[in-house]
């Protein structure tokens, strides 16, 4: 009973104080309650922020872990790119070496073909050399100008003789009358194949023409290759005098 009465007395005192203070106590009381509510809200927001902070920290850890993984991938990617560049460089070097080897191979093939062609030509040339050449006829040509020469003679080749090793020895003499005999030439198909000077000593000719000084060295002599000729050939032997006169001497008919 005393406690209840004490509470009533306190309540009346508060009401009296509030009335005397024009409601200031109620105002403070409401402010305290409002502050408590705001404090509770702030505490709730703080707890929410703590939870968000924890989540953010967790996400940050995950992001850092992913970043480390990505950095590892980037390092590996850089290494792969470096390996790729090295592989490209090696590939270019291999391609260059391949081109060089192909060029060498083409050069070797060209050399082989050339060597093979030379071998075939050598074999043909050898066959031509080994094939005997028959001198079918040595035909003296009639002299149209009797003042051109004292005379001439052919000691080789002779009619119905044979030559081996693809060469024929042309040997004889010619003695100019109106002009000295300077050289003898061999004509084949209208072309001059060889020329040889008239300067060889001929003692036998001096006996026939003792009064002519040029008789002492009126001889000519030269080997002549017939390997490049066909199965049959006609050669013409001509004398060339110092006055550039050309005197046909003989026709030589050859056959393989």
């Amino acid at each position: 009973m005393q406690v209840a009465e004490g509470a009533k007395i306190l309540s009346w005192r508060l009401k009296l104080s509030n009335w005397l203070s024009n409601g200031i106590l109620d105002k403070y009381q409401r402010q305290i309650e409002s502050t408590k509510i705001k404090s509770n809200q702030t505490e709730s927001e703080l707890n929410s922020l703590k939870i968000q902070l924890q989540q953010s920290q967790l996400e940050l850890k995950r992001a850092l872990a992913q970043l480390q993984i990505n950095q590892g991938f980037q390092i590996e990617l850089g290494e792969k790119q470096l390996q790729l560049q090295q592989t490209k460089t090696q590939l270019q070097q291999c391609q260059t070496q391949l081109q060089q080897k192909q060029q060498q191979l083409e050069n070797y093939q060209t050399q082989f073909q050339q060597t093979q062609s030379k071998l075939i030509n050598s074999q043909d040339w050898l066959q031509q050399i080994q094939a005997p050449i028959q001198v079918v006829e040595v035909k003296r040509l009639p002299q149209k100008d009797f003042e051109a020469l004292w005379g001439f003679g052919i000691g080789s080749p002779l009619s119905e003789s044979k030559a081996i090793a693809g060469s024929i020895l042309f040997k004889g003499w010619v003695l100019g009358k109106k002009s000295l005999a300077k050289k003898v030439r061999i004509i084949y198909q209208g072309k001059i194949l060889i020329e040889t000077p008239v300067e060889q000593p001929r003692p036998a000719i001096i006996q026939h023409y003792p009064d002519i000084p040029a008789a002492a060295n009126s001889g000519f002599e030269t080997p002549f290759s017939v390997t490049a000729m066909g199965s049959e050939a006609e050669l013409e032997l001509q004398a060339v005098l110092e006055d550039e006169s050309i005197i046909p001497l003989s026709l030589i008919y050859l056959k393989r």
Side-chain angles (χ1 to χ4, degrees):
M1 292 292 292
Q2 292 179 354
V3 174
E5 290 179 356
K8 289 180 179 181
I9 293 171
L10 180 60
S11 175
W12 281 106
R13 286 180 178 178
L14 290 173
K15 290 179 179 180
L16 179 61
S17 298
N18 184 45
W19 179 77
L20 292 174
S21 61
N22 294 323
I24 292 175
L25 292 177
D26 289 339
K27 182 179 179 181
Y28 287 159
Q29 186 68 30
R30 288 193 299 272
Q31 288 180 353
I32 290 172
E33 291 177 357
S34 176
T35 301
K36 286 182 179 181
I37 292 172
K38 291 180 179 180
S39 177
N40 292 332
Q41 291 177 350
T42 302
E43 186 177 0
S44 177
E45 291 176 355
L46 180 60
N47 291 331
S48 177
L49 290 174
K50 286 181 179 180
I51 294 172
Q52 292 179 2
L53 177 61
Q54 291 176 354
Q55 292 177 350
S56 298
Q57 288 176 342
L58 180 60
E59 291 178 357
L60 179 60
K61 290 180 180 180
R62 291 176 180 174
L64 289 174
Q66 187 65 39
L67 179 60
Q68 291 177 351
I69 294 173
N70 292 338
Q71 287 177 345
F73 286 155
Q74 289 178 350
I75 294 173
E76 185 177 359
L77 178 61
E79 293 176 351
K80 295 298 183 182
Q81 288 177 341
L82 180 59
Q83 292 177 358
L84 178 61
Q85 185 63 35
Q86 292 175 348
T87 303
K88 286 182 178 179
T89 302
Q90 292 177 355
L91 178 60
Q92 291 176 352
Q93 293 175 351
C94 291
Q95 289 176 342
T96 301
Q97 292 177 357
L98 178 61
Q99 291 176 353
Q100 293 175 350
K101 294 299 182 182
Q102 287 177 341
Q103 184 64 41
Q104 289 179 356
L105 178 60
E106 291 177 358
N107 293 337
Y108 290 149
Q109 289 176 343
T110 301
Q111 292 177 1
F112 174 75
Q113 292 175 354
Q114 292 176 349
T115 303
Q116 192 174 31
S117 177
K118 289 180 180 179
L119 178 61
I120 294 174
N121 293 335
S122 298
Q123 290 175 345
D124 293 341
W125 180 76
L126 181 61
Q127 291 176 355
Q128 290 178 356
I129 289 178
Q130 292 175 344
I133 304 297
Q134 181 179 0
V135 181
V136 178
E137 182 183 3
V138 178
K139 181 179 180 181
R140 291 174 64 95
L141 296 176
Q143 299 299 304
K144 297 179 180 180
D145 185 1
F146 294 100
E147 297 298 322
L149 300 177
W150 288 106
F152 73 93
I154 300 176
S156 175
L158 298 176
S159 297
E160 299 182 356
S161 62
K162 290 184 179 181
I164 303 177
S167 179
I168 295 177
L169 178 64
F170 279 79
K171 182 178 180 180
W173 64 276
V174 57
L175 188 59
K177 188 174 184 180
K178 65 178 181 179
S179 180
L180 294 177
K182 182 171 61 174
K183 57 188 175 182
V184 171
R185 61 174 53 155
I186 299 173
I187 307 297
Y188 176 64
Q189 294 182 346
K191 296 181 180 180
I192 300 173
L193 298 185
I194 192 171
E195 291 183 338
T196 183
V198 178
E199 60 183 10
Q200 297 290 326
R202 290 292 184 266
I205 305 303
I206 298 176
Q207 296 177 4
H208 290 85
Y209 301 95
D211 298 331
I212 303 175
N217 296 297
S218 59
F220 63 87
E221 184 174 339
T222 182
F224 177 71
S225 175
V226 292
T227 55
M229 295 184 179
S231 58
E232 294 183 357
E234 178 183 308
L235 305 178
E236 182 179 351
L237 191 65
Q238 297 178 348
V240 181
L241 307 183
E242 284 189 347
D243 63 0
E244 302 301 329
S245 299
I246 298 175
I247 311 300
L249 301 179
S250 299
L251 292 178
I252 298 95
Y253 299 96
L254 306 177
K255 184 178 181 180
R256 292 186 185 277

